[in-house]
């Protein structure tokens, strides 16, 4: 059930944000991102928003030109507590809604120009591979305070 | 730029982002980044870089690494940045460090001190930043350095700090459970925290703890249930609502925990029934998040001690998933079905056609999920259909990871449920043919053992029939090009043992085939070894019955070739074959007894037969044996080397001890531990030829008569039979499937009366089924049809028939039944008042204390941002419904509806009907539109213009 990575990739396959919750080398990341994007781009809108890749299950969602991908553990060590893909899918939307509230109508450029802010949001929402905060107010308050202070 | 107060970055940074955004290919992007690396290397080393500037450089370094290039030259500057006093710069420093370094990096040690200092800070935001870094950077060795401070922070006055402290402790538990084992009770305490955020975060470590040790946390069941109840009753602050659901992510986490705690525990489950029923009733099947909670509920219900009412609700929800048009919901439905059939296998029958639709769907994800379901519901009556399907699918995919998985599943099912020997052999042939290089070698050994042993017991005729059919099929398959090595080994072994047994094929024919194999796979030494051994066996059997063996020329040349081989093993085998050809029939028979593969070899582990020899040597002054663990490595090597020096010239030897025979993998084949110093046999590394090794002791007798002493005896105890019993004869399977052809869903409705008339009646009454193609029904019948053996189980649904029949028509009635039965339920469940600490309080008092701090914060934020913070609670009107409207189940609407640049969006739309959505979105978000225009204007000022290359840059994500 642990989240292994969160990726934002545009439809040209360019990474726009990458947060890993386990250590992968630069080469491994590069390869993984390439493979996943290729896989997800090949899928149609009607198909499931879930893809298996190696030992990951990838839940993805497309917003305009940007893909939000979340990689989750796919090992069946404990079959009674498998992941809830639909919940992850909604979590992605929560991330986007949170970004939208902060950036007001978020777009790809907002994330590119404020990469650190986007990362800070994710830091509030996901820790140790778990979803730990889902209240937009709680997520954004520290970030807004920080902006204010600086 | 919205709340960010403009573009606070330098032109250089903006240009970089712009050029990355406009890059049209990976190569172009790489060029940009390489140029950037050059610039950064120069700039970052300049003296007195302003701190603000350095922050920007760090972000640029993050870009460099994110796009796949090495930025290690700048790591140290990220570390330095963490020392900064400014919160923003410090946090950026921490962020860069966590992105660059893993917790075992050398530089981490430089940060521990900073973290310690920051954990003591008066500014709680700095403490939070440090705790976030703790979660990512502290490894097992450095835990003690920060642990006391983290524990202290669990009692901090700020809820944000308590939350992060809990998670830091969680991280320590993940990294090194022992380091915090004495602090586990803190998690229980934090579960009762006044702040829902802290409580929600504490569920993560508790979930991990409970997963490891369920029984220690049974006392928390009541607490979890009470929390879930309060969450479901909307007692949490409104900020946790998501799409009108009260704190769904916390609900889901709680349901997961309850599923664990209630598993197989009737008493614990009893506490949960009421709240689960409530959640089912309150579920919101129209939204994705509602369905996510519903799915989690189904999982919970199927995991805890079964409750008929809840199961019924779960089945109903599952069937709604399966009937949905959304692939995502179908996927969840298939998964849920897989859980529910564990409790009642008959549930699947109602949905057989939906399942088959999913199986035949072009969507790979859905297909695999369905295969997972089929795997779970395989039984002897449908194994043939399911495994056939799996193999077909296996053939069609290229993904080795999944191919391996599905191949091993095929093998597992075939071993468990095989209706007949022939079928098993055929199936294994197919698996080997298409995934041979991917399956475990053990599978091959199992197959050889099966062919050798047959079904054991009395039916010798069936066994030999099995063998001849294996030989027949292998001789056929040998014609095919490119067979996997493992499969060829099996084929060679079987041909060697049984190729000539039934007299159908002549020795020279088989030998010819084997020579062809060796020739075609001249680079594969293992296969060649198997072929030469097989040839030897056939020759031996021929000689033993008194026939003269005349070697074919190609066989002779093979022997010649192998005698000169670089592989000592191949040489050995070739020489042994030559030696064997010169022996008389009696000697050959004792060397190579026919069909002796099943016979076990008794191992004299003490090597007592050597005692006299040892004594003799000792008397002559030889040194006594020193056990392996007592001698030095050099001595060990020297000892071996003298033995094998002549062979060591071209090959390196393994000097370490050979592994002891592993007891488990092929239990029938005890590995012969060759007494190395005394035989002149070359020991064969176990993993290469495990099956062959036990023939080895027979061979040396040709040259070394003493080794007959090894003794060859039968030992059948401990022979595990993984195999299905032969009672499942194929006729019964076929007859059941023929009745099911018409039975279909009808069997579900009434299992007892399977007479054809009633069946037809039901059949006609169900229009839906009539529309489905005959082919699918046939498949459904063979998959889901009940075997006769299952008729007793069938009793179960017949009891339910009155409720089961009108599944769609009388839903309200069923619901009514649930709710009407609920009140008494509540009475029976001892509704002990929830512990004070856990009670998050009445709605109003609870929300005031938790909102209070935010009010303060909002004061800090100033008037502009205040309304947005209040937005969700009071004026939830404008924004939330807007999101809801846009956020439908059909992503296309969200995809291209760019409110920013309607014309542009129009040109680049992916979806035709998006224009309408665009306008609606634009009108709904009047204010947002203004924002967008501003944003656009600023963008143009900066010089980033939407071009054909980067139209998407300006398309809003949410539309």
């Amino acid at each position: 059930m642990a989240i292994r990575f969160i990726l934002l990739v545009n439809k040209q396959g360019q990474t726009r944000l990458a947060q890993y919750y386990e250590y992968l080398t630069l080469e491994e990341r590069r390869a993984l991102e390439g493979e996943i994007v290729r896989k997800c781009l090949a899928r149609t809108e009607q198909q499931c928003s879930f893809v298996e890749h190696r030992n990951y299950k990838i839940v993805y969602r497309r917003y305009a030109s940007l893909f939000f991908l979340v990689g989750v553990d796919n090992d069946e060590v404990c079959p009674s507590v498998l992941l809830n893909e639909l919940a992850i899918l909604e979590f992605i939307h929560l991330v986007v809604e949170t970004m939208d509230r902060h950036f007001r109508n978020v777009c790809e450029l907002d994330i590119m120009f404020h990469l650190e802010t986007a990362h800070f949001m994710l830091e509030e929402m996901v820790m140790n591979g778990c979803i730990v905060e889902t209240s937009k107010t709680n997520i954004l308050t520290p970030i807004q305070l920080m902006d204010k202070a600086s | 730029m919205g709340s960010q107060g403009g573009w606070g970055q330098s032109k250089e940074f903006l240009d970089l982002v712009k050029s990355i955004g406009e890059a049209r290919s990976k190569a172009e992007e790489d060029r940009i980044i390489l140029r950037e690396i050059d610039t950064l290397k120069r700039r970052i080393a300049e003296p007195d870089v302003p701190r603000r500037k350095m922050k920007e450089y760090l972000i640029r370094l993050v870009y460099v690494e994110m796009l796949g290039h090495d930025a290690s030259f700048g790591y140290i500057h990220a570390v330095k940045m963490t020392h900064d006093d400014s919160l923003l710069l410090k946090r950026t420093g921490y962020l860069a460090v966590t992105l660059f370094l893993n917790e075992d990096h050398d530089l981490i040690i430089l940060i521990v001190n900073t973290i310690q200092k920051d954990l003591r800070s008066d500014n709680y935001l700095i403490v939070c930043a440090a705790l976030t870094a703790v979660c990512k950077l502290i490894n097992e060795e450095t835990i003690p350095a920060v642990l006391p401070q983290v524990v202290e922070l669990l009692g901090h006055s700020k809820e944000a700090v308590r939350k992060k402290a809990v998670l830091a402790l969680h991280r320590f538990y993940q990294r090194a459970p022992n380091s915090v084992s004495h602090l586990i009770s803190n998690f229980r305490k934090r579960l009762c925290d006044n702040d829902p955020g802290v409580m929600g975060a504490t569920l993560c470590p508790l979930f991990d703890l409970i997963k490891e040790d369920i029984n220690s946390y049974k006392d928390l069941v009541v607490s979890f249930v009470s929390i879930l109840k309060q969450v479901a009753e909307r007692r949490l602050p409104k900020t946790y609502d998501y799409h009108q659901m009260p704190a769904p992510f916390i609900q889901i986490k709680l349901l997961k925990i309850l599923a664990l705690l209630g598993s197989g525990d009737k008493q614990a489950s009893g506490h949960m029934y009421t709240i689960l029923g409530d959640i089912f009733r309150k579920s919101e099947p129209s939204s994705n998040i509602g369905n996510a909670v519903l799915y989690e509920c189904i999982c919970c219900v199927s995991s805890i001690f079964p409750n008929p009412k809840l199961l019924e609700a779960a089945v109903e929800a599952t069937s709604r998933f399966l009937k949905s048009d959304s692939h995502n919901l179908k996927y969840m439905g298939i998964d849920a079905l897989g859980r529910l059939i564990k409790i009642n296998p008959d549930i699947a029958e109602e949905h057989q056609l939906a399942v088959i639709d999913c199986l035949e769907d072009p969507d790979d994800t859905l297909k695999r999920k369905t295969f997972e379901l089929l795997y779970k519901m395989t039984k002897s009556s449908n194994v043939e259909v399911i495994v056939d399907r799996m193999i077909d699918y296996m053939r069609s995919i290229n993904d080795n990871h999944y191919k391996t998985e599905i191949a091993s599943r095929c093998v597992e099912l075939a071993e468990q449920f095989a209706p007949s020997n022939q079928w098993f052999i055929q199936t294994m042939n197919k698996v080997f043919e298409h995934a041979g290089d991917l399956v475990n070698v053990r599978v091959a050994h199992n197959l050889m053992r099966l062919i050798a042993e047959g079904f054991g017991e009395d039916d010798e005729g069936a066994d030999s029939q099995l063998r001849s059919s294996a030989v027949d099929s292998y001789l056929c398959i040998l014609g095919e090009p490119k067979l996997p090595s493992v499969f060829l080994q099996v084929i060679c072994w079987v041909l060697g043992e049984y190729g000539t047994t039934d007299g159908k094929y002549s020795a020279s024919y088989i030998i010819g085939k084997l020579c062809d194999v060796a020739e075609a796979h001249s680079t594969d030494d293992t296969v060649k070894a198997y072929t030469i051994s097989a040839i030897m066996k056939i020759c031996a059997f021929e000689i033993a019955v008194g026939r003269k063996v005349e070697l074919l020329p190609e066989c002779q040349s093979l022997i010649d070739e192998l005698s000169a081989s670089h592989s000592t093993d191949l040489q050995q085998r070739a020489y042994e074959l030559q030696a064997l050809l010169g022996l008389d029939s009696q000697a050959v028979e004792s060397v190579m007894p026919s069909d002796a593969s099943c016979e076990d070899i008794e191992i004299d582990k003490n090597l007592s037969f050597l005692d006299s020899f040892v004594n003799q040597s000792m008397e002559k002054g030889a040194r006594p044996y020193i056990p392996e663990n007592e001698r030095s490595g050099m001595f060990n090597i020297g000892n071996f080397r003298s033995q094998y020096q002549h062979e060591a010239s071209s090959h390196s030897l393994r000097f370490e001890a050979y592994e002891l025979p592993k007891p488990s993998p092929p239990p029938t084949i005890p590995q012969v531990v060759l007494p190395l110093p005394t035989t002149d046999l070359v020991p064969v590394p176990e993993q290469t030829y495990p099956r062959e090794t036990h023939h080895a002791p027979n061979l040396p007798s040709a040259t070394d008569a003493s080794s007959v002493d090894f003794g060859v005896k039968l030992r059948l105890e401990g022979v595990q039979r993984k195999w299905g019993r032969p009672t499942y004869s194929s006729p019964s399977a076929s007859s059941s499937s023929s009745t099911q052809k018409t039975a279909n869903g009808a069997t579900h409705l009434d299992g007892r009366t399977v007479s054809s008339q009633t069946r037809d009646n039901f059949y006609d009454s169900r229009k839906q089924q009539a529309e489905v193609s005959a082919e699918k029904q046939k498949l459904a019948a063979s998959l889901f049809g009940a075997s006769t053996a299952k008729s007793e189980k069938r009793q179960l649904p017949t009891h339910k028939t009155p409720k089961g029949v009108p599944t769609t028509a009388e839903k309200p009635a069923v619901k009514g039944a649930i709710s009407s039965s609920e009140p008494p339920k509540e009475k029976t469940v001892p509704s002990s008042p929830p512990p004070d600490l856990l009670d998050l309080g009445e709605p109003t008092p609870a929300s005031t204390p938790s909102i209070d701090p935010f009010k303060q914060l909002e004061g800090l934020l100033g008037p502009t941002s205040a309304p947005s913070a209040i937005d969700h609670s009071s004026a939830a009107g404008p924004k939330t419904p807007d999101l809801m409207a846009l956020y439908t189940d059909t992503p296309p609407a969200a995809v291209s509806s760019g409110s920013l640049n309607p014309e542009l969006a129009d040109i680049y739309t992916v979806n035709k009907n998006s224009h309408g959505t665009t306008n609606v979105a634009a009108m709904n978000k009047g204010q947002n539109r203004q924002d967008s225009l501003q944003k656009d204007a600023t963008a143009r000022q900066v010089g980033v213009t939407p071009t054909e290359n980067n139209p998407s840059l300006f398309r809003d994500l949410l539309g």
Side-chain angles (χ1 to χ4, degrees), chain B residues 478-524:
Chain B
L478 269 185
E480 289 181 24
K482 275 201 82 174
L483 291 171
S485 174
V486 188
F487 191 32
L488 280 168
Q489 292 164 29
V490 176
I491 293 177
C492 290
W493 186 85
V494 170
L495 290 183
E497 288 282 335
Y498 307 111
T500 55
T501 316
D502 59 0
K504 202 161 145 194
Y505 302 102
S506 72
S508 58
Y509 176 74
I510 302 280
I511 292 177
K513 284 280 182 189
L514 288 167
C515 289
D516 292 346
V517 173
E519 198 182 341
H521 299 85
S522 51
T523 50
D524 190 338

Side-chain angles (χ1 to χ4, degrees), chain A residues 61 64 90 97 110 112 133, chain B residues 1 63 163 243 887 895:
Chain A
R61 198 159 180 153
E90 286 310 283
E97 280 185 9
D110 287 329
M112 291 183 76
E133 186 56 80
Chain B
M1 194 63 229
Y63 262 104
K163 179 175 72 186
H243 295 190
Y887 170 63
V895 168

Side-chain angles (χ1 to χ4, degrees), chain B residues 19 22-33 35:
Chain B
S19 58
E22 285 174 354
R24 263 183 298 176
S25 65
K26 189 73 193 152
E28 195 182 335
E29 190 186 272
D30 284 345
R31 273 198 300 279
I32 295 168
I33 294 296
R35 214 175 329 126

